[in-house]
Amino acid sequence: MGFVDPLKDLSVPEKKQAKFECTITKDVSKVIWFRGTEIVTPSPKYEIIDDGKKHMLIINNCEFDDEAQYTIEALGQKSAAQLMVEGMRLSFVQPLQDQTVKEGNSARFDLELSHENVPVVWYRNEVKLHVSRTVLIHVEGKRHTLEMRTLSLDDTCQIKAEAKGIYSMAKLTVVGNCASSFPFHFCFISH
């Protein structure tokens, strides 16, 4: 047994259908499809068509996450091909900007992504931020906002936004409130 028509690499536009096809020299009722090392099973995402010598794997609504090597295995023989998904890659249209704010005030970090419905995870010095009384997170389409309220000098940090493996970072600097009604400046810093 061998492959008359082995699998061929495919490049399809984002959201479109990809169709891997191959023909083998004899009728085989059962073949196994793999995505990388994982076995592919029929689902709304994957359609598997076995028609004697002709075998097809259809991938519906292709996303960038579907890019991988796909392999068919029949009677110990294998054929593999790569799927590439074309389209606009996720990027930061508006990245984060550094901010300097006075102690007791709020800082607001805005960013805009190239795609909608992409989750963003916010970090403060590499520690994941969670919504609280002083931390607010807002999403509207492609725009994501982090608001940090009632800041203290200890809140000076690095802010990072992560979306599907891409990052945008900014520095948050909190400065003390100095009384300037005297010829000399007095800063009262509470510890």
PDB file of all heavy atoms in Angstrom, residues 153-184:
ATOM      1  N   LEU A 153       2.914  55.199  46.617  1.00  0.00           N
ATOM      2  CA  LEU A 153       4.276  55.165  46.065  1.00  0.00           C
ATOM      3  C   LEU A 153       4.714  53.729  45.785  1.00  0.00           C
ATOM      4  O   LEU A 153       5.501  53.481  44.872  1.00  0.00           O
ATOM      5  CB  LEU A 153       5.255  55.846  47.031  1.00  0.00           C
ATOM      6  CG  LEU A 153       5.039  57.345  47.234  1.00  0.00           C
ATOM      7  CD1 LEU A 153       5.938  57.873  48.336  1.00  0.00           C
ATOM      8  CD2 LEU A 153       5.294  58.113  45.937  1.00  0.00           C
ATOM      9  N   ASP A 154       4.197  52.781  46.562  1.00  0.00           N
ATOM     10  CA  ASP A 154       4.545  51.365  46.365  1.00  0.00           C
ATOM     11  C   ASP A 154       3.993  50.788  45.066  1.00  0.00           C
ATOM     12  O   ASP A 154       4.360  49.680  44.666  1.00  0.00           O
ATOM     13  CB  ASP A 154       3.992  50.508  47.529  1.00  0.00           C
ATOM     14  CG  ASP A 154       4.609  50.875  48.862  1.00  0.00           C
ATOM     15  OD1 ASP A 154       5.721  51.451  48.864  1.00  0.00           O
ATOM     16  OD2 ASP A 154       3.982  50.597  49.896  1.00  0.00           O
ATOM     17  N   ASP A 155       3.074  51.502  44.414  1.00  0.00           N
ATOM     18  CA  ASP A 155       2.468  50.996  43.180  1.00  0.00           C
ATOM     19  C   ASP A 155       3.314  51.260  41.942  1.00  0.00           C
ATOM     20  O   ASP A 155       2.922  50.882  40.836  1.00  0.00           O
ATOM     21  CB  ASP A 155       1.065  51.593  42.988  1.00  0.00           C
ATOM     22  CG  ASP A 155       0.062  50.995  43.965  1.00  0.00           C
ATOM     23  OD1 ASP A 155       0.091  49.763  44.161  1.00  0.00           O
ATOM     24  OD2 ASP A 155      -0.722  51.763  44.543  1.00  0.00           O
ATOM     25  N   THR A 156       4.471  51.916  42.095  1.00  0.00           N
ATOM     26  CA  THR A 156       5.369  52.092  40.947  1.00  0.00           C
ATOM     27  C   THR A 156       5.746  50.698  40.458  1.00  0.00           C
ATOM     28  O   THR A 156       6.189  49.856  41.246  1.00  0.00           O
ATOM     29  CB  THR A 156       6.615  52.903  41.355  1.00  0.00           C
ATOM     30  OG1 THR A 156       6.183  54.236  41.658  1.00  0.00           O
ATOM     31  CG2 THR A 156       7.645  52.954  40.240  1.00  0.00           C
ATOM     32  N   CYS A 157       5.512  50.430  39.181  1.00  0.00           N
ATOM     33  CA  CYS A 157       5.707  49.063  38.677  1.00  0.00           C
ATOM     34  C   CYS A 157       5.732  49.036  37.152  1.00  0.00           C
ATOM     35  O   CYS A 157       5.586  50.054  36.488  1.00  0.00           O
ATOM     36  CB  CYS A 157       4.573  48.162  39.169  1.00  0.00           C
ATOM     37  SG  CYS A 157       2.960  48.648  38.516  1.00  0.00           S
ATOM     38  N   GLN A 158       5.894  47.829  36.636  1.00  0.00           N
ATOM     39  CA  GLN A 158       5.794  47.556  35.201  1.00  0.00           C
ATOM     40  C   GLN A 158       4.399  46.967  34.972  1.00  0.00           C
ATOM     41  O   GLN A 158       4.005  46.030  35.657  1.00  0.00           O
ATOM     42  CB  GLN A 158       6.859  46.528  34.832  1.00  0.00           C
ATOM     43  CG  GLN A 158       6.817  46.072  33.401  1.00  0.00           C
ATOM     44  CD  GLN A 158       7.833  46.804  32.555  1.00  0.00           C
ATOM     45  OE1 GLN A 158       8.899  47.125  33.003  1.00  0.00           O
ATOM     46  NE2 GLN A 158       7.479  47.082  31.336  1.00  0.00           N
ATOM     47  N   ILE A 159       3.653  47.516  34.013  1.00  0.00           N
ATOM     48  CA  ILE A 159       2.337  46.985  33.642  1.00  0.00           C
ATOM     49  C   ILE A 159       2.509  46.255  32.321  1.00  0.00           C
ATOM     50  O   ILE A 159       3.169  46.754  31.404  1.00  0.00           O
ATOM     51  CB  ILE A 159       1.297  48.122  33.478  1.00  0.00           C
ATOM     52  CG1 ILE A 159       1.082  48.853  34.814  1.00  0.00           C
ATOM     53  CG2 ILE A 159      -0.025  47.597  32.926  1.00  0.00           C
ATOM     54  CD1 ILE A 159       0.427  48.032  35.901  1.00  0.00           C
ATOM     55  N   LYS A 160       1.923  45.061  32.236  1.00  0.00           N
ATOM     56  CA  LYS A 160       2.025  44.291  31.001  1.00  0.00           C
ATOM     57  C   LYS A 160       0.646  43.783  30.622  1.00  0.00           C
ATOM     58  O   LYS A 160      -0.113  43.337  31.481  1.00  0.00           O
ATOM     59  CB  LYS A 160       2.984  43.109  31.204  1.00  0.00           C
ATOM     60  CG  LYS A 160       3.116  42.222  29.975  1.00  0.00           C
ATOM     61  CD  LYS A 160       4.271  41.247  30.093  1.00  0.00           C
ATOM     62  CE  LYS A 160       3.893  40.016  30.853  1.00  0.00           C
ATOM     63  NZ  LYS A 160       4.944  38.986  30.867  1.00  0.00           N
ATOM     64  N   ALA A 161       0.334  43.875  29.336  1.00  0.00           N
ATOM     65  CA  ALA A 161      -0.900  43.307  28.797  1.00  0.00           C
ATOM     66  C   ALA A 161      -0.489  42.191  27.851  1.00  0.00           C
ATOM     67  O   ALA A 161       0.378  42.394  26.998  1.00  0.00           O
ATOM     68  CB  ALA A 161      -1.696  44.363  28.054  1.00  0.00           C
ATOM     69  N   GLU A 162      -1.100  41.003  28.009  1.00  0.00           N
ATOM     70  CA  GLU A 162      -0.760  39.859  27.165  1.00  0.00           C
ATOM     71  C   GLU A 162      -2.015  39.383  26.458  1.00  0.00           C
ATOM     72  O   GLU A 162      -3.066  39.218  27.072  1.00  0.00           O
ATOM     73  CB  GLU A 162      -0.168  38.744  28.031  1.00  0.00           C
ATOM     74  CG  GLU A 162       0.374  37.574  27.247  1.00  0.00           C
ATOM     75  CD  GLU A 162      -0.603  36.420  27.118  1.00  0.00           C
ATOM     76  OE1 GLU A 162      -1.383  36.187  28.045  1.00  0.00           O
ATOM     77  OE2 GLU A 162      -0.593  35.777  26.063  1.00  0.00           O
ATOM     78  N   ALA A 163      -1.917  39.218  25.130  1.00  0.00           N
ATOM     79  CA  ALA A 163      -3.040  38.727  24.324  1.00  0.00           C
ATOM     80  C   ALA A 163      -2.522  37.655  23.378  1.00  0.00           C
ATOM     81  O   ALA A 163      -1.742  37.946  22.481  1.00  0.00           O
ATOM     82  CB  ALA A 163      -3.661  39.876  23.535  1.00  0.00           C
ATOM     83  N   LYS A 164      -2.904  36.414  23.621  1.00  0.00           N
ATOM     84  CA  LYS A 164      -2.515  35.280  22.762  1.00  0.00           C
ATOM     85  C   LYS A 164      -1.022  35.278  22.442  1.00  0.00           C
ATOM     86  O   LYS A 164      -0.624  35.146  21.281  1.00  0.00           O
ATOM     87  CB  LYS A 164      -3.332  35.278  21.474  1.00  0.00           C
ATOM     88  CG  LYS A 164      -4.760  34.827  21.679  1.00  0.00           C
ATOM     89  CD  LYS A 164      -5.422  34.473  20.373  1.00  0.00           C
ATOM     90  CE  LYS A 164      -6.770  33.853  20.626  1.00  0.00           C
ATOM     91  NZ  LYS A 164      -7.396  33.354  19.429  1.00  0.00           N
ATOM     92  N   GLY A 165      -0.206  35.475  23.457  1.00  0.00           N
ATOM     93  CA  GLY A 165       1.240  35.351  23.257  1.00  0.00           C
ATOM     94  C   GLY A 165       1.967  36.617  22.840  1.00  0.00           C
ATOM     95  O   GLY A 165       3.180  36.607  22.703  1.00  0.00           O
ATOM     96  N   ILE A 166       1.247  37.713  22.577  1.00  0.00           N
ATOM     97  CA  ILE A 166       1.932  38.976  22.275  1.00  0.00           C
ATOM     98  C   ILE A 166       1.767  39.919  23.462  1.00  0.00           C
ATOM     99  O   ILE A 166       0.784  39.825  24.194  1.00  0.00           O
ATOM    100  CB  ILE A 166       1.468  39.623  20.947  1.00  0.00           C
ATOM    101  CG1 ILE A 166       0.002  40.043  21.006  1.00  0.00           C
ATOM    102  CG2 ILE A 166       1.723  38.695  19.760  1.00  0.00           C
ATOM    103  CD1 ILE A 166      -0.414  40.942  19.856  1.00  0.00           C
ATOM    104  N   TYR A 167       2.749  40.801  23.650  1.00  0.00           N
ATOM    105  CA  TYR A 167       2.781  41.647  24.846  1.00  0.00           C
ATOM    106  C   TYR A 167       2.913  43.117  24.506  1.00  0.00           C
ATOM    107  O   TYR A 167       3.511  43.475  23.502  1.00  0.00           O
ATOM    108  CB  TYR A 167       4.007  41.289  25.710  1.00  0.00           C
ATOM    109  CG  TYR A 167       4.044  39.866  26.155  1.00  0.00           C
ATOM    110  CD1 TYR A 167       4.719  38.901  25.410  1.00  0.00           C
ATOM    111  CD2 TYR A 167       3.403  39.479  27.319  1.00  0.00           C
ATOM    112  CE1 TYR A 167       4.748  37.575  25.816  1.00  0.00           C
ATOM    113  CE2 TYR A 167       3.431  38.166  27.747  1.00  0.00           C
ATOM    114  CZ  TYR A 167       4.103  37.217  26.994  1.00  0.00           C
ATOM    115  OH  TYR A 167       4.125  35.919  27.406  1.00  0.00           O
ATOM    116  N   SER A 168       2.392  43.939  25.407  1.00  0.00           N
ATOM    117  CA  SER A 168       2.660  45.378  25.384  1.00  0.00           C
ATOM    118  C   SER A 168       2.959  45.738  26.837  1.00  0.00           C
ATOM    119  O   SER A 168       2.286  45.260  27.747  1.00  0.00           O
ATOM    120  CB  SER A 168       1.447  46.159  24.879  1.00  0.00           C
ATOM    121  OG  SER A 168       1.738  47.551  24.885  1.00  0.00           O
ATOM    122  N   MET A 169       4.011  46.558  27.046  1.00  0.00           N
ATOM    123  CA  MET A 169       4.408  46.904  28.410  1.00  0.00           C
ATOM    124  C   MET A 169       4.552  48.406  28.566  1.00  0.00           C
ATOM    125  O   MET A 169       4.847  49.111  27.601  1.00  0.00           O
ATOM    126  CB  MET A 169       5.725  46.231  28.757  1.00  0.00           C
ATOM    127  CG  MET A 169       5.584  44.742  28.892  1.00  0.00           C
ATOM    128  SD  MET A 169       7.033  43.993  29.585  1.00  0.00           S
ATOM    129  CE  MET A 169       7.753  43.232  28.164  1.00  0.00           C
ATOM    130  N   ALA A 170       4.333  48.862  29.794  1.00  0.00           N
ATOM    131  CA  ALA A 170       4.493  50.278  30.109  1.00  0.00           C
ATOM    132  C   ALA A 170       4.919  50.397  31.565  1.00  0.00           C
ATOM    133  O   ALA A 170       4.680  49.497  32.374  1.00  0.00           O
ATOM    134  CB  ALA A 170       3.189  51.030  29.867  1.00  0.00           C
ATOM    135  N   LYS A 171       5.533  51.525  31.877  1.00  0.00           N
ATOM    136  CA  LYS A 171       5.993  51.778  33.249  1.00  0.00           C
ATOM    137  C   LYS A 171       4.980  52.694  33.935  1.00  0.00           C
ATOM    138  O   LYS A 171       4.560  53.684  33.364  1.00  0.00           O
ATOM    139  CB  LYS A 171       7.371  52.445  33.192  1.00  0.00           C
ATOM    140  CG  LYS A 171       7.961  52.734  34.554  1.00  0.00           C
ATOM    141  CD  LYS A 171       9.348  52.124  34.671  1.00  0.00           C
ATOM    142  CE  LYS A 171       9.985  52.394  36.026  1.00  0.00           C
ATOM    143  NZ  LYS A 171       9.448  51.610  37.112  1.00  0.00           N
ATOM    144  N   LEU A 172       4.613  52.317  35.164  1.00  0.00           N
ATOM    145  CA  LEU A 172       3.771  53.171  35.997  1.00  0.00           C
ATOM    146  C   LEU A 172       4.671  53.748  37.084  1.00  0.00           C
ATOM    147  O   LEU A 172       5.294  53.002  37.836  1.00  0.00           O
ATOM    148  CB  LEU A 172       2.634  52.368  36.640  1.00  0.00           C
ATOM    149  CG  LEU A 172       1.833  53.103  37.727  1.00  0.00           C
ATOM    150  CD1 LEU A 172       1.163  54.358  37.182  1.00  0.00           C
ATOM    151  CD2 LEU A 172       0.793  52.170  38.343  1.00  0.00           C
ATOM    152  N   THR A 173       4.758  55.079  37.123  1.00  0.00           N
ATOM    153  CA  THR A 173       5.546  55.764  38.145  1.00  0.00           C
ATOM    154  C   THR A 173       4.595  56.579  39.011  1.00  0.00           C
ATOM    155  O   THR A 173       3.811  57.372  38.481  1.00  0.00           O
ATOM    156  CB  THR A 173       6.596  56.700  37.499  1.00  0.00           C
ATOM    157  OG1 THR A 173       7.352  55.941  36.557  1.00  0.00           O
ATOM    158  CG2 THR A 173       7.521  57.297  38.533  1.00  0.00           C
ATOM    159  N   VAL A 174       4.649  56.340  40.325  1.00  0.00           N
ATOM    160  CA  VAL A 174       3.818  57.097  41.259  1.00  0.00           C
ATOM    161  C   VAL A 174       4.742  58.046  42.017  1.00  0.00           C
ATOM    162  O   VAL A 174       5.745  57.621  42.589  1.00  0.00           O
ATOM    163  CB  VAL A 174       3.067  56.165  42.236  1.00  0.00           C
ATOM    164  CG1 VAL A 174       2.162  56.978  43.161  1.00  0.00           C
ATOM    165  CG2 VAL A 174       2.242  55.133  41.466  1.00  0.00           C
ATOM    166  N   VAL A 175       4.413  59.341  41.978  1.00  0.00           N
ATOM    167  CA  VAL A 175       5.237  60.347  42.656  1.00  0.00           C
ATOM    168  C   VAL A 175       4.484  60.895  43.858  1.00  0.00           C
ATOM    169  O   VAL A 175       3.253  60.903  43.880  1.00  0.00           O
ATOM    170  CB  VAL A 175       5.644  61.504  41.697  1.00  0.00           C
ATOM    171  CG1 VAL A 175       6.554  60.983  40.592  1.00  0.00           C
ATOM    172  CG2 VAL A 175       4.432  62.195  41.106  1.00  0.00           C
ATOM    173  N   GLY A 176       5.254  61.362  44.855  1.00  0.00           N
ATOM    174  CA  GLY A 176       4.650  61.881  46.078  1.00  0.00           C
ATOM    175  C   GLY A 176       4.015  63.243  45.852  1.00  0.00           C
ATOM    176  O   GLY A 176       4.326  63.947  44.888  1.00  0.00           O
ATOM    177  N   ASN A 177       3.118  63.612  46.759  1.00  0.00           N
ATOM    178  CA  ASN A 177       2.506  64.945  46.728  1.00  0.00           C
ATOM    179  C   ASN A 177       3.382  65.868  47.571  1.00  0.00           C
ATOM    180  O   ASN A 177       3.524  65.665  48.765  1.00  0.00           O
ATOM    181  CB  ASN A 177       1.095  64.900  47.330  1.00  0.00           C
ATOM    182  CG  ASN A 177       0.133  64.199  46.408  1.00  0.00           C
ATOM    183  OD1 ASN A 177       0.156  64.433  45.203  1.00  0.00           O
ATOM    184  ND2 ASN A 177      -0.710  63.343  46.955  1.00  0.00           N
ATOM    185  N   CYS A 178       3.979  66.870  46.944  1.00  0.00           N
ATOM    186  CA  CYS A 178       4.863  67.795  47.656  1.00  0.00           C
ATOM    187  C   CYS A 178       4.125  69.104  47.912  1.00  0.00           C
ATOM    188  O   CYS A 178       3.462  69.631  47.036  1.00  0.00           O
ATOM    189  CB  CYS A 178       6.116  68.090  46.826  1.00  0.00           C
ATOM    190  SG  CYS A 178       7.140  66.635  46.624  1.00  0.00           S
ATOM    191  N   ALA A 179       4.274  69.612  49.128  1.00  0.00           N
ATOM    192  CA  ALA A 179       3.692  70.920  49.444  1.00  0.00           C
ATOM    193  C   ALA A 179       4.639  71.983  48.900  1.00  0.00           C
ATOM    194  O   ALA A 179       5.824  71.955  49.186  1.00  0.00           O
ATOM    195  CB  ALA A 179       3.545  71.051  50.957  1.00  0.00           C
ATOM    196  N   SER A 180       4.149  72.914  48.103  1.00  0.00           N
ATOM    197  CA  SER A 180       5.052  73.884  47.473  1.00  0.00           C
ATOM    198  C   SER A 180       4.684  75.329  47.809  1.00  0.00           C
ATOM    199  O   SER A 180       4.954  76.234  47.058  1.00  0.00           O
ATOM    200  CB  SER A 180       5.057  73.674  45.963  1.00  0.00           C
ATOM    201  OG  SER A 180       3.752  73.817  45.469  1.00  0.00           O
ATOM    202  N   SER A 181       4.061  75.529  48.978  1.00  0.00           N
ATOM    203  CA  SER A 181       3.687  76.901  49.330  1.00  0.00           C
ATOM    204  C   SER A 181       4.824  77.610  50.075  1.00  0.00           C
ATOM    205  O   SER A 181       4.699  78.748  50.450  1.00  0.00           O
ATOM    206  CB  SER A 181       2.412  76.894  50.180  1.00  0.00           C
ATOM    207  OG  SER A 181       2.589  76.030  51.287  1.00  0.00           O
ATOM    208  N   PHE A 182       5.930  76.927  50.312  1.00  0.00           N
ATOM    209  CA  PHE A 182       7.087  77.511  50.989  1.00  0.00           C
ATOM    210  C   PHE A 182       8.212  77.684  49.984  1.00  0.00           C
ATOM    211  O   PHE A 182       8.217  77.040  48.945  1.00  0.00           O
ATOM    212  CB  PHE A 182       7.567  76.592  52.126  1.00  0.00           C
ATOM    213  CG  PHE A 182       6.560  76.459  53.232  1.00  0.00           C
ATOM    214  CD1 PHE A 182       5.763  75.331  53.325  1.00  0.00           C
ATOM    215  CD2 PHE A 182       6.407  77.458  54.173  1.00  0.00           C
ATOM    216  CE1 PHE A 182       4.836  75.194  54.334  1.00  0.00           C
ATOM    217  CE2 PHE A 182       5.481  77.335  55.190  1.00  0.00           C
ATOM    218  CZ  PHE A 182       4.693  76.214  55.285  1.00  0.00           C
ATOM    219  N   PRO A 183       9.202  78.539  50.317  1.00  0.00           N
ATOM    220  CA  PRO A 183      10.335  78.668  49.417  1.00  0.00           C
ATOM    221  C   PRO A 183      11.062  77.327  49.223  1.00  0.00           C
ATOM    222  O   PRO A 183      11.641  77.085  48.198  1.00  0.00           O
ATOM    223  CB  PRO A 183      11.262  79.674  50.106  1.00  0.00           C
ATOM    224  CG  PRO A 183      10.511  80.224  51.252  1.00  0.00           C
ATOM    225  CD  PRO A 183       9.289  79.417  51.463  1.00  0.00           C
ATOM    226  N   PHE A 184      11.052  76.484  50.267  1.00  0.00           N
ATOM    227  CA  PHE A 184      11.642  75.151  50.077  1.00  0.00           C
ATOM    228  C   PHE A 184      10.493  74.174  49.931  1.00  0.00           C
ATOM    229  O   PHE A 184       9.408  74.403  50.429  1.00  0.00           O
ATOM    230  CB  PHE A 184      12.512  74.697  51.262  1.00  0.00           C
ATOM    231  CG  PHE A 184      12.869  75.764  52.238  1.00  0.00           C
ATOM    232  CD1 PHE A 184      12.098  75.983  53.363  1.00  0.00           C
ATOM    233  CD2 PHE A 184      13.996  76.561  52.028  1.00  0.00           C
ATOM    234  CE1 PHE A 184      12.445  76.960  54.266  1.00  0.00           C
ATOM    235  CE2 PHE A 184      14.329  77.535  52.932  1.00  0.00           C
ATOM    236  CZ  PHE A 184      13.551  77.740  54.061  1.00  0.00           C
TER     237      PHE A 184
END
